[in-house]
Amino acid sequence: MVELFTALESPLLSYALRLAGDAAVAEDILQEAFMRLQAQFNEVREPRRWLYRTVHNLALTQRRAARKIVPLHPAEN
């Protein structure tokens, strides 16, 4: 698992950043993906592919959630 993290951390973080558009959110997505992989590692056949799909899905979920947030104060023009 450590070797997988070392090999994929940088490319997955770049991918998450492109999808999320925010470095802190991308790091959270990456951390969540690796935690989920660790919990299911014995059932996952292709960890690399699984991680990319999980990062993709987590980023989409984050984007949907961000659209639902309504500011308390309307933006001033």
Side-chain angles (χ1 to χ4, degrees):
M1 179 79 171
V2 174
E3 298 86 16
L4 187 65
F5 179 79
T6 302
L8 293 178
E9 178 188 19
S10 183
L12 273 172
L13 185 57
S14 295
Y15 183 58
L17 183 56
R18 283 195 311 271
L19 294 172
D22 180 271
V25 172
E27 289 173 1
D28 289 345
I29 288 170
L30 185 62
Q31 182 178 12
E32 179 68 25
F34 273 102
M35 287 183 355
R36 289 182 182 194
L37 177 62
Q38 185 175 4
Q40 302 177 36
F41 195 75
N42 292 332
E43 291 87 38
V44 175
R45 292 179 190 245
E46 298 179 48
R48 183 181 187 279
R49 183 180 210 169
W50 187 94
L51 280 166
Y52 272 94
R53 176 49 66 192
T54 301
V55 165
H56 180 87
N57 290 341
L58 288 169
L60 290 178
T61 300
Q62 185 277 330
R63 284 178 136 186
R64 282 188 214 110
R67 278 188 279 172
K68 293 179 183 178
I69 297 173
V70 178
L72 295 177
H73 303 290
E76 295 179 24
N77 292 328

